[in-house]
Structure formats: C-alpha cells, structure tokens
Amino acid sequence: MAVLWLDDVSADDVETVGGKAASLGELTDAGLPVPPGFVVTADTYRTFIEEAGIDEELFAAMDIDPEDSSELKAAEETAHDLILGTELPDSVRAEVLEAYRSVGADGEEAFVAVRSSATAEDLPDASFAGQQETFLNVTEERLLERVKECWASLFSQRAIYYRQRQGFPHDEVDIAVVVQRMVDAEKSGVMFTSHPSTGEARIIIEAAWGLGEAVVSGSVSPDNYVVDRDTAAVEEVTVADKKVMMEKDAETGETVEREVPAEDRERRVLSDEEIERLVELGERVEDHYGTPQDVEWAVYDGDIYMLQSRPITTISDATDDTADAAGGEAANGGTDTATAGDESADAGGDGDVLMQGLGSSPGIVSGNAKVVTKLDHLDQVVEGDIIVTEMTMPDMVPAMKRAVGIVTDEGGMTSHAAIVSRELGVPAVVGAGSATRELSDGQTITIDGDKGTIREGQPDESGDVEEYEPVEAVRPETPVKPMTATEVKVNVSIPEAAERAAATGADGVGLLRIEHMVLSLGETPERYIAEHGADAYVEEIVDGIRTVADEFYPRPVRARTLDAPTDEFSELEGGENEPTEHNPMLGWRGIRRSLDKPDVFQQELRAFARLYEMGYDNVELMFPLVNDAEDLQRAKERMHEAGIDPEERRWGVMVETPASALGIADLADCGIDFASFGTNDLTQYTLAVDRNNENVADRFDELHPAVLSLIADVIDTCRELGVDTSICGQAGSKPEMVDFLVEEGVTSISANIDAVRDVQHEVKRTEQKLVLDSVR
Ligand code: PEP
Ligand code: MG
C-alpha cells in the first residue's frame, strides 16, 4: 500500500509516515478539526528507488568531499535528475491519484499541500519549523512530480553536507510525504499553548492575514495576543502593521505574496470570540499530548483548522514566573510592531504613550526624566533617573551606569546609546525624536525597552509591571550551556562589561571595540599623544583590552583597531582639528583613517604587540572598514613595523562594505585567518540607509536579500579558501540571521550580552535540525 489515510495514522506510525503525519493523525483521532489528507509512506520512497534500480547509483554519487562545493552541487544534481527522471511504478501512480481524487470536497478538484514528513523530525527535543520541501496549492497535474521533489529534497546540498560530516549513511534515511487539502485561509498563524520560554500558563497567539506561510517564514510581523489560561482573560493585544500576506492566486492557483489592503494593515486580525475558540482548541491539543504544543492554525469560512502541532522544546526546566519581565524581542527593532493604544492591555505604565522610539535595550522601567543637554549636567544624574539626551557619548557612561533607563532623540539600533545600554543591562529607547524637548526635567515616565514606548507616570501599585532586572537575572537558569559546532561569542564595547560578558559562557569575544576606550580619554588620540606621550596612549589601550582578555583567557578576544567617525572625535578636546564631513559614516573612519595617520595607528599596533609580549596569545587583531587587498597589504606592513608577525598571530578583517564582500577572495589571499560580518555597516552601505538616522530606521533591514546574498557568497568563498567566518554586527543577535548563518556554514556568531543565551539555543536548534534533516 503506497498511501495511508490520516484517519488511520497514529503516533505509533512515526517510522512509516514521519513525525508530521503522525501528529496530524493524532489530532484527527482526538476529534480536532484537521483538513483531510493522506500520506505517501516512507516505504513507497524506498521501494521506488530500489525497484527502479537507481539506489546504488544514487548513494554512490554521495561519496564526495563535503568541503568541496562543486562536488556537493554535482551530488545534488545527480540525485535530483535520478529521482525526477525515473517514472513512478503504475501501481503507485494509480493509488496516489485515486486517494487525491477523494480529498476534494464534492468531487471537486482539490488544491492540496504536499509536504515532506521526516521520520526523525518533530520528535520531542528536536522541534524544527518548515525546513523540508513544502508545496502549496498543488493540483493533480503536478502532484506526482511534487511528491518526487519532496523525495529529492533528502539530497539537498545542505543535507548531503551534514550527513557526510556526521558520517551518517545516506542509505539509512527515508522520507514520507503528506498530501492534505489546502485550507484557503483568510487568516492564520501559530499558537503556543504555554509560554514558549517559561512554560507559564499563558497562551500566545500570532496571527496574520492569508496563508500561514507568511507567519512561519517570518516575512510578516503578526499580531500578538496573550491569554491567561487560568482566568481566560486576553491580557495583551499587540496589533502589528501587516504589510504583506500570502494567498492563492485565483487564476494560476500559485501562492503569491500580496500587499495587505490599506484598511486591513493595522486592523486586528482576531476577534475575542475567535481567540476564545482557539484557546479552547489549544487546551484540547495540550491535554491530548500532555505537553505544551506549538500549533499552526488557519481560519476558513468561519471555521478554525489545526494544520500542525509540535511539542514546544524551548521551555526551560526551571520555570520562573517573572521570567518574561525583560522580554526577549529587543533585537526586533520594535518599529514595525505598533502597540495599538486602545486595545492594549499591555504592561508598562498607566499613562498615555507620550512618544515612540526604537526599543533598543530590553526591560520596562519607571523613573524621573533627567534631561541632559550639556555634559556638565551629567553629575546631576542620580540613581533611579532616566537619562534623556540627544545622543549619548562615551563620557556619559558613568552616568549611564547610575541611571535606570536611557532615552535618546537620535540614533538607531546600532548607535552608541543602544550598544552601551545593552552592555550595561539598562533599558533604553533610542531615536525618540523630540524627547529632550517634550519631556521635562523631573517628570515621571515609564519606558519599555522592547516596544520603544515612553509613557507618562508610573504604573500604580496594582499594575503588574516588575521592577526591571538585568535579563540574565530573570531568565530561567539554564544549567548547562548547549554544545554547538558553531561557536557563539559575545560583543564587548566597554571593558566594564567584561565580567558580565564572560559570565554568559560565550566562546570568546567576537568583537571588542576600542573606540570606547579611546573616546573616553576625552581627547582626540592626536591631542592625547601630544599631551601625555605615546607610551601613555599605548598603556590606556593595553589596559582596556587586557581587562577583557584576562576575563576570557584562554578564550579568544578579537580586538579591533580604531573605527570612530570624525563627528565623534570632534566632540573631544582637540576635536576642533577634525574635518567637518557631510556624512561621517561615509567618511574618514576605520582603516582609511588609520592608514592616513600612521603615527597614531602605530601606537594601537604597539599595544597589541605589548599584549602578545605579556602572554595574551588569546588576543586577535581585526581591521575595520577594509575595502580591498591594497588596504590590507598596507596594514600588514604596519603590523611588521610594530613587531607583529602576521604569520604567527590570528588576524582578520571586518566585511562591512559591498567592496570587501565582492573582493573577499583577494582579501583572503593576503593571509587573513578570519572575516567577520559587520552587518551594521554592511547593511547601511548595501542599502544606502544611514544606520544612525531614525527617519530611515524602518528601512534598515539586515535581512534584506541583497545583504544576505553578499554574506552567503562570502561564506562560500571563505569555506573554499579555509578562512573562518563570523558575524559581529547586531544582526548576530537575531534568530532569523542566526538560522541563516548556521545553515550557510558560518564558523562563529557573536551576539550582544543579553542575547548570547538565546543565540546559543537557536544555534543548537538549527544545527540539530540540519543533522536530523539529513538523517531522515
Ligand atoms: C558593524 O558595522 O556591524 C560593526 C560591528 O561595527 P560597528 O558597529 O562598530 O561599526
Ligand atoms: Mg562597523
């Protein structure tokens, strides 16, 4: 029998039908509304390759060097050609088509979803979303071909690569395919039947217009609803700006992305009544399995359907009721999820939203606004104040440490204020526009560093807002750091954060910026050297780097030479000699300035040489804003002059400009050990979006296909040439970027301090997924 109906499938059939189909069978069995469908069993695939006699050739073609990308590609093509080019036996064709014909309602030709169902996927502790081939809106015409394409997806380059690396035999992997009637969803989404990180009795629902693919793939920010299961109260409603939706094209039947009509973009997707029905179904699903579930659902013609259910594997064992106080979404940027004022029963101050900026360091906090317009006002900042300033400067760090929160008029998610407040663990809202003008000194405000809101007053006693605590204090403790093949490191910009950074268990520092150490001297490097001598300058840098290198020893610390723009130097003593630039971001910074100012650059390199002499062999040297091999050859000469042998030390470059990405092979030729993506700059230079300009913050998209394409090509080339790759821009803290990089084969990921733990888990999940994908 080539097919089994979902009605006849249960959890015991996982070997023949895979996890996805077994779970759908269970749901059907429990009387939950599941669209009808059947499974082409794993045996059918196995019999197909064996009886057609293509099995030996297929598996022999997989015996390749996985590090050679041309061999990988050839193996994938061979498998695809063999499977797609071989006719299905007549009996299988007949059986599959017959089953298909009875899936449609009233004998109509049905549109079906065709999905791979892996035998190792979806098992407890290994939950993976949407990685195998899935085809939507398939009709009879292409059904058989799509089934074979699912089979062929067992031999994607990535799957072959991981099986080869793991030494897992290619012939021990099987695959089933689910064929199920499409629900032509008007709205759809996902539902967590308990809180996905703390396990609390809260149902979280995400919802968007159209087919669920948009939510699962992350291409749209969905509405978010939080329901307390004990009281059945809808506690929180966050209505997102839903720009796009996926739907079936009425003519071609293809799934297409459409713009959401203007009137629906900011309209709430789910009514209270629909939420109630979803919650009821969610409870039944969780009861059926006895563990919290991650459910995909859809609404069609007023009816709710369950499309898939998997156990939630992210809940920590040590649950903690307060764990959500600091939130985990800070890396999202916050601007495209607008909190709907009236509908929000959201925590965070009772008062009206006074203004909205970018939530750039997580946590909700109340305090007195301290409007700082001049640096000499800083000593007036007292414990418990919220600093309100145009933009922060290195001199402000001592005051930032005293403050409970930070608000700035200017700046984006990668601005100094955003970076430093995250490292200090102080909630911050940046780019709020007119905060220094509209807030008055001493006014009580509540800021939400996740959502970017600034509210009047503070929550009353009965309010459920927790005092802010650093995120690692309120997150459930994870006793053992997950072991991952991809290293997870941490970014440090202020040596004061070294201890906090090391406590994350990160595998090293992926970026130590020295700008902060230098700018906090209060004088430009030129002035400092003139006033205090070169040795004193070297000592300052040695001290700063050493604080971090000590804390992490023997884990590697990648310190970067100076990369401050002229507008930051011009604030310092001696800054009057800085040129005035129209756009300092495109100006005299990074390696350009260093090469033009060999006297200053030399002192920085001497600091590295000194650290090596002192035995800090864990220090690595990285150059910022490199464009081409000429930049690097010149930098290498300077290394030699400072007594650093590039052959003996680990050194490398930031990939921050399209030029460096496109010319990576030439940079590799210069003998670098690593290339690290500075996505803050790579994004601004690829998209022509000033990273510090809040007017275009909504266009600053590190996941833009153009940026991802540059990154993927660099990783590919570096893997061929034996150069390590890494990310140290803010995007390394975003789960979507982490998934992408791990799948592309990046060597390490460096995240913000507060994101390290989540990134460790995300990396682990993606790696497991890749391995399991390949062993099905
Ligand atoms: C980057 O550009 O992504 C980066 C990490 O460097 P910086 O933010 O210091 O420019
Ligand atoms: Mg940069």
Side-chain angles (χ1 to χ4, degrees), residues 236-276:
E236 206 174 305
V237 175
T238 309
V239 179
D241 179 2
K242 299 162 289 289
K243 299 186 178 82
V244 293
M245 63 193 285
M246 307 278 257
E247 57 181 19
K248 185 174 74 181
D249 185 283
E251 275 174 19
T252 62
E254 306 259 311
T255 304
V256 289
E257 189 176 282
R258 293 246 160 82
E259 279 191 15
V260 172
E263 65 274 19
D264 289 337
R265 275 178 54 162
E266 296 189 34
R267 192 158 75 81
R268 205 175 127 159
V269 173
L270 291 176
S271 65
D272 282 345
E273 193 261 337
E274 283 167 327
I275 294 175
E276 206 175 296

Short mmCIF file of all heavy atoms in Angstrom, two decimals, residues 236-276:
data_model
loop_
_atom_site.label_atom_id
_atom_site.label_comp_id
_atom_site.label_asym_id
_atom_site.label_seq_id
_atom_site.Cartn_x
_atom_site.Cartn_y
_atom_site.Cartn_z
N GLU A 236 -3.10 40.77 26.66
CA GLU A 236 -2.29 41.68 25.88
C GLU A 236 -2.66 41.51 24.42
O GLU A 236 -2.78 40.39 23.93
CB GLU A 236 -0.83 41.28 26.09
CG GLU A 236 0.14 42.39 25.90
CD GLU A 236 1.55 41.93 26.27
OE1 GLU A 236 1.75 41.43 27.40
OE2 GLU A 236 2.44 42.06 25.41
N VAL A 237 -2.86 42.64 23.74
CA VAL A 237 -3.13 42.60 22.30
C VAL A 237 -2.17 43.56 21.64
O VAL A 237 -2.17 44.75 21.95
CB VAL A 237 -4.58 43.04 22.00
CG1 VAL A 237 -4.81 43.11 20.50
CG2 VAL A 237 -5.58 42.11 22.66
N THR A 238 -1.31 43.06 20.79
CA THR A 238 -0.40 43.95 20.06
C THR A 238 -0.72 43.81 18.58
O THR A 238 -0.57 42.74 18.00
CB THR A 238 1.07 43.58 20.32
OG1 THR A 238 1.25 43.52 21.73
CG2 THR A 238 2.00 44.63 19.75
N VAL A 239 -1.21 44.89 18.02
CA VAL A 239 -1.60 44.85 16.62
C VAL A 239 -0.44 45.34 15.77
O VAL A 239 0.04 46.45 15.94
CB VAL A 239 -2.85 45.73 16.39
CG1 VAL A 239 -3.25 45.69 14.93
CG2 VAL A 239 -3.99 45.25 17.28
N ALA A 240 0.03 44.48 14.87
CA ALA A 240 1.19 44.84 14.06
C ALA A 240 0.74 45.50 12.76
O ALA A 240 -0.41 45.38 12.36
CB ALA A 240 2.00 43.59 13.75
N ASP A 241 1.68 46.16 12.13
CA ASP A 241 1.44 46.70 10.79
C ASP A 241 1.77 45.58 9.81
O ASP A 241 2.93 45.30 9.55
CB ASP A 241 2.35 47.91 10.58
CG ASP A 241 2.16 48.52 9.20
OD1 ASP A 241 1.31 48.02 8.44
OD2 ASP A 241 2.89 49.47 8.88
N LYS A 242 0.74 44.93 9.27
CA LYS A 242 0.94 43.74 8.44
C LYS A 242 0.97 44.15 6.98
O LYS A 242 -0.06 44.33 6.36
CB LYS A 242 -0.19 42.74 8.72
CG LYS A 242 -0.20 42.30 10.19
CD LYS A 242 -1.50 41.68 10.62
CE LYS A 242 -2.64 42.66 10.73
NZ LYS A 242 -2.57 43.61 11.85
N LYS A 243 2.16 44.29 6.47
CA LYS A 243 2.28 44.88 5.14
C LYS A 243 1.91 43.89 4.03
O LYS A 243 1.35 44.27 3.03
CB LYS A 243 3.71 45.39 4.93
CG LYS A 243 4.12 46.47 5.93
CD LYS A 243 5.50 47.04 5.60
CE LYS A 243 5.90 48.16 6.55
NZ LYS A 243 6.45 47.69 7.83
N VAL A 244 2.28 42.61 4.23
CA VAL A 244 2.04 41.65 3.14
C VAL A 244 1.29 40.44 3.64
O VAL A 244 1.22 40.17 4.84
CB VAL A 244 3.37 41.18 2.50
CG1 VAL A 244 4.05 42.31 1.77
CG2 VAL A 244 4.29 40.56 3.53
N MET A 245 0.73 39.70 2.71
CA MET A 245 0.06 38.44 3.03
C MET A 245 0.28 37.46 1.88
O MET A 245 0.59 37.86 0.76
CB MET A 245 -1.44 38.67 3.23
CG MET A 245 -2.15 39.16 1.98
SD MET A 245 -3.82 39.77 2.32
CE MET A 245 -4.69 38.24 2.54
N MET A 246 0.17 36.16 2.19
CA MET A 246 0.29 35.16 1.14
C MET A 246 -1.11 34.67 0.83
O MET A 246 -1.91 34.44 1.76
CB MET A 246 1.09 33.96 1.63
CG MET A 246 2.43 34.32 2.21
SD MET A 246 3.66 34.55 0.96
CE MET A 246 4.50 33.01 1.16
N GLU A 247 -1.39 34.51 -0.45
CA GLU A 247 -2.68 33.91 -0.79
C GLU A 247 -2.60 33.17 -2.11
O GLU A 247 -1.62 33.28 -2.83
CB GLU A 247 -3.80 34.95 -0.77
CG GLU A 247 -3.57 36.11 -1.69
CD GLU A 247 -4.70 37.14 -1.61
OE1 GLU A 247 -5.46 37.15 -0.62
OE2 GLU A 247 -4.83 37.92 -2.56
N LYS A 248 -3.65 32.42 -2.38
CA LYS A 248 -3.68 31.66 -3.62
C LYS A 248 -4.15 32.57 -4.74
O LYS A 248 -5.18 33.22 -4.61
CB LYS A 248 -4.64 30.48 -3.45
CG LYS A 248 -4.64 29.57 -4.65
CD LYS A 248 -5.48 28.35 -4.40
CE LYS A 248 -6.97 28.69 -4.45
NZ LYS A 248 -7.81 27.53 -4.19
N ASP A 249 -3.38 32.59 -5.82
CA ASP A 249 -3.80 33.38 -6.96
C ASP A 249 -5.00 32.68 -7.62
O ASP A 249 -4.92 31.50 -7.95
CB ASP A 249 -2.64 33.49 -7.96
CG ASP A 249 -2.98 34.39 -9.11
OD1 ASP A 249 -3.72 33.96 -10.02
OD2 ASP A 249 -2.52 35.54 -9.09
N ALA A 250 -6.08 33.44 -7.77
CA ALA A 250 -7.33 32.81 -8.23
C ALA A 250 -7.15 32.18 -9.61
O ALA A 250 -7.76 31.17 -9.92
CB ALA A 250 -8.43 33.85 -8.25
N GLU A 251 -6.28 32.77 -10.44
CA GLU A 251 -6.15 32.23 -11.80
C GLU A 251 -5.17 31.08 -11.91
O GLU A 251 -5.47 30.02 -12.43
CB GLU A 251 -5.74 33.35 -12.75
CG GLU A 251 -6.98 34.08 -13.20
CD GLU A 251 -6.69 35.30 -14.02
OE1 GLU A 251 -5.57 35.41 -14.57
OE2 GLU A 251 -7.61 36.13 -14.10
N THR A 252 -3.97 31.31 -11.38
CA THR A 252 -2.93 30.28 -11.58
C THR A 252 -2.94 29.24 -10.46
O THR A 252 -2.37 28.17 -10.61
CB THR A 252 -1.54 30.93 -11.58
OG1 THR A 252 -1.34 31.52 -10.28
CG2 THR A 252 -1.41 32.00 -12.63
N GLY A 253 -3.56 29.57 -9.33
CA GLY A 253 -3.53 28.63 -8.21
C GLY A 253 -2.21 28.70 -7.44
O GLY A 253 -2.02 28.03 -6.45
N GLU A 254 -1.26 29.52 -7.92
CA GLU A 254 0.03 29.63 -7.23
C GLU A 254 -0.12 30.45 -5.95
O GLU A 254 -0.99 31.31 -5.85
CB GLU A 254 1.03 30.37 -8.12
CG GLU A 254 1.19 29.80 -9.49
CD GLU A 254 2.44 28.95 -9.59
OE1 GLU A 254 3.48 29.44 -9.17
OE2 GLU A 254 2.33 27.80 -10.08
N THR A 255 0.80 30.19 -5.01
CA THR A 255 0.81 31.01 -3.80
C THR A 255 1.59 32.29 -4.10
O THR A 255 2.72 32.23 -4.55
CB THR A 255 1.51 30.26 -2.67
OG1 THR A 255 0.86 29.01 -2.50
CG2 THR A 255 1.46 31.04 -1.39
N VAL A 256 0.95 33.42 -3.87
CA VAL A 256 1.63 34.67 -4.18
C VAL A 256 1.63 35.60 -2.97
O VAL A 256 0.78 35.48 -2.08
CB VAL A 256 0.94 35.42 -5.35
CG1 VAL A 256 1.18 34.70 -6.66
CG2 VAL A 256 -0.55 35.58 -5.09
N GLU A 257 2.60 36.49 -2.96
CA GLU A 257 2.64 37.48 -1.88
C GLU A 257 1.92 38.73 -2.38
O GLU A 257 2.18 39.19 -3.49
CB GLU A 257 4.10 37.80 -1.54
CG GLU A 257 4.22 38.63 -0.29
CD GLU A 257 5.69 38.87 0.10
OE1 GLU A 257 6.31 37.96 0.66
OE2 GLU A 257 6.18 39.97 -0.17
N ARG A 258 1.00 39.25 -1.57
CA ARG A 258 0.27 40.45 -1.97
C ARG A 258 0.40 41.50 -0.88
O ARG A 258 0.62 41.15 0.27
CB ARG A 258 -1.22 40.13 -2.08
CG ARG A 258 -1.58 39.21 -3.20
CD ARG A 258 -2.44 39.96 -4.26
NE ARG A 258 -2.39 39.26 -5.53
CZ ARG A 258 -3.16 38.22 -5.83
NH1 ARG A 258 -4.04 37.79 -4.94
NH2 ARG A 258 -3.07 37.62 -6.99
N GLU A 259 0.20 42.74 -1.27
CA GLU A 259 0.14 43.77 -0.24
C GLU A 259 -1.20 43.67 0.48
O GLU A 259 -2.22 43.40 -0.16
CB GLU A 259 0.24 45.14 -0.89
CG GLU A 259 1.67 45.49 -1.18
CD GLU A 259 1.84 46.95 -1.58
OE1 GLU A 259 0.91 47.75 -1.37
OE2 GLU A 259 2.92 47.24 -2.09
N VAL A 260 -1.19 43.90 1.75
CA VAL A 260 -2.45 43.90 2.50
C VAL A 260 -3.16 45.23 2.21
O VAL A 260 -2.52 46.29 2.23
CB VAL A 260 -2.16 43.76 4.02
CG1 VAL A 260 -3.42 43.95 4.83
CG2 VAL A 260 -1.51 42.42 4.31
N PRO A 261 -4.47 45.17 1.89
CA PRO A 261 -5.19 46.44 1.63
C PRO A 261 -5.00 47.41 2.80
O PRO A 261 -4.98 46.98 3.96
CB PRO A 261 -6.66 46.00 1.55
CG PRO A 261 -6.62 44.53 1.30
CD PRO A 261 -5.32 44.00 1.82
N ALA A 262 -4.87 48.69 2.46
CA ALA A 262 -4.52 49.71 3.46
C ALA A 262 -5.40 49.62 4.71
O ALA A 262 -4.91 49.71 5.84
CB ALA A 262 -4.62 51.09 2.83
N GLU A 263 -6.72 49.38 4.50
CA GLU A 263 -7.62 49.41 5.67
C GLU A 263 -7.41 48.22 6.60
O GLU A 263 -7.86 48.25 7.75
CB GLU A 263 -9.09 49.54 5.24
CG GLU A 263 -9.65 48.35 4.47
CD GLU A 263 -9.39 48.42 2.96
OE1 GLU A 263 -8.47 49.17 2.54
OE2 GLU A 263 -10.09 47.71 2.20
N ASP A 264 -6.74 47.18 6.10
CA ASP A 264 -6.55 45.99 6.95
C ASP A 264 -5.18 45.94 7.62
O ASP A 264 -4.96 45.13 8.51
CB ASP A 264 -6.72 44.71 6.13
CG ASP A 264 -8.16 44.49 5.73
OD1 ASP A 264 -9.04 45.03 6.44
OD2 ASP A 264 -8.41 43.79 4.74
N ARG A 265 -4.26 46.77 7.15
CA ARG A 265 -2.88 46.65 7.62
C ARG A 265 -2.78 46.73 9.13
O ARG A 265 -2.13 45.91 9.76
CB ARG A 265 -2.00 47.72 6.99
CG ARG A 265 -1.50 47.29 5.64
CD ARG A 265 -0.66 48.34 4.95
NE ARG A 265 0.46 48.81 5.78
CZ ARG A 265 1.51 49.44 5.29
NH1 ARG A 265 1.60 49.64 3.98
NH2 ARG A 265 2.45 49.88 6.07
N GLU A 266 -3.41 47.71 9.71
CA GLU A 266 -3.29 47.87 11.15
C GLU A 266 -4.55 47.44 11.88
O GLU A 266 -4.81 47.85 13.00
CB GLU A 266 -2.88 49.30 11.48
CG GLU A 266 -1.51 49.60 10.92
CD GLU A 266 -0.93 50.92 11.37
OE1 GLU A 266 -1.19 51.31 12.52
OE2 GLU A 266 -0.23 51.55 10.57
N ARG A 267 -5.37 46.64 11.18
CA ARG A 267 -6.60 46.15 11.79
C ARG A 267 -6.29 44.85 12.53
O ARG A 267 -5.47 44.04 12.10
CB ARG A 267 -7.63 45.89 10.69
CG ARG A 267 -9.03 45.65 11.21
CD ARG A 267 -10.05 45.96 10.09
NE ARG A 267 -10.09 44.93 9.05
CZ ARG A 267 -10.76 43.79 9.15
NH1 ARG A 267 -11.43 43.53 10.26
NH2 ARG A 267 -10.78 42.93 8.16
N ARG A 268 -6.96 44.67 13.64
CA ARG A 268 -6.79 43.47 14.45
C ARG A 268 -7.27 42.24 13.67
O ARG A 268 -8.36 42.27 13.11
CB ARG A 268 -7.61 43.66 15.71
CG ARG A 268 -7.15 42.87 16.87
CD ARG A 268 -7.97 43.25 18.08
NE ARG A 268 -8.48 42.01 18.64
CZ ARG A 268 -8.90 41.87 19.88
NH1 ARG A 268 -8.89 42.91 20.69
NH2 ARG A 268 -9.33 40.73 20.32
N VAL A 269 -6.47 41.18 13.64
CA VAL A 269 -6.82 40.00 12.86
C VAL A 269 -7.88 39.16 13.57
O VAL A 269 -8.83 38.69 12.96
CB VAL A 269 -5.56 39.15 12.56
CG1 VAL A 269 -5.94 37.83 11.90
CG2 VAL A 269 -4.59 39.92 11.68
N LEU A 270 -7.73 38.94 14.87
CA LEU A 270 -8.62 38.02 15.57
C LEU A 270 -9.60 38.75 16.47
O LEU A 270 -9.23 39.67 17.21
CB LEU A 270 -7.81 37.05 16.43
CG LEU A 270 -6.96 36.02 15.69
CD1 LEU A 270 -6.15 35.20 16.68
CD2 LEU A 270 -7.82 35.10 14.83
N SER A 271 -10.85 38.32 16.42
CA SER A 271 -11.84 38.85 17.34
C SER A 271 -11.70 38.11 18.68
O SER A 271 -11.10 37.04 18.73
CB SER A 271 -13.25 38.64 16.79
OG SER A 271 -13.51 37.24 16.74
N ASP A 272 -12.31 38.66 19.72
CA ASP A 272 -12.26 37.99 21.02
C ASP A 272 -12.88 36.60 20.93
O ASP A 272 -12.41 35.65 21.54
CB ASP A 272 -13.00 38.82 22.08
CG ASP A 272 -12.13 39.98 22.55
OD1 ASP A 272 -10.92 39.96 22.26
OD2 ASP A 272 -12.68 40.91 23.19
N GLU A 273 -13.92 36.50 20.14
CA GLU A 273 -14.62 35.22 20.02
C GLU A 273 -13.71 34.19 19.35
O GLU A 273 -13.63 33.03 19.77
CB GLU A 273 -15.91 35.46 19.22
CG GLU A 273 -16.91 34.33 19.26
CD GLU A 273 -16.80 33.47 18.01
OE1 GLU A 273 -16.31 33.95 16.96
OE2 GLU A 273 -17.18 32.30 18.09
N GLU A 274 -12.98 34.60 18.32
CA GLU A 274 -12.06 33.67 17.66
C GLU A 274 -10.93 33.24 18.60
O GLU A 274 -10.50 32.09 18.62
CB GLU A 274 -11.48 34.31 16.39
CG GLU A 274 -12.47 34.31 15.25
CD GLU A 274 -12.02 35.21 14.09
OE1 GLU A 274 -11.37 36.25 14.33
OE2 GLU A 274 -12.34 34.88 12.95
N ILE A 275 -10.47 34.22 19.38
CA ILE A 275 -9.42 33.89 20.35
C ILE A 275 -9.93 32.83 21.32
O ILE A 275 -9.24 31.84 21.62
CB ILE A 275 -8.97 35.16 21.12
CG1 ILE A 275 -8.28 36.13 20.15
CG2 ILE A 275 -8.03 34.80 22.26
CD1 ILE A 275 -7.91 37.46 20.77
N GLU A 276 -11.16 33.03 21.75
CA GLU A 276 -11.75 32.08 22.70
C GLU A 276 -11.79 30.66 22.11
O GLU A 276 -11.43 29.68 22.76
CB GLU A 276 -13.17 32.55 23.00
CG GLU A 276 -13.72 32.14 24.33
CD GLU A 276 -15.08 32.80 24.51
OE1 GLU A 276 -15.14 34.07 24.59
OE2 GLU A 276 -16.06 32.06 24.53
#
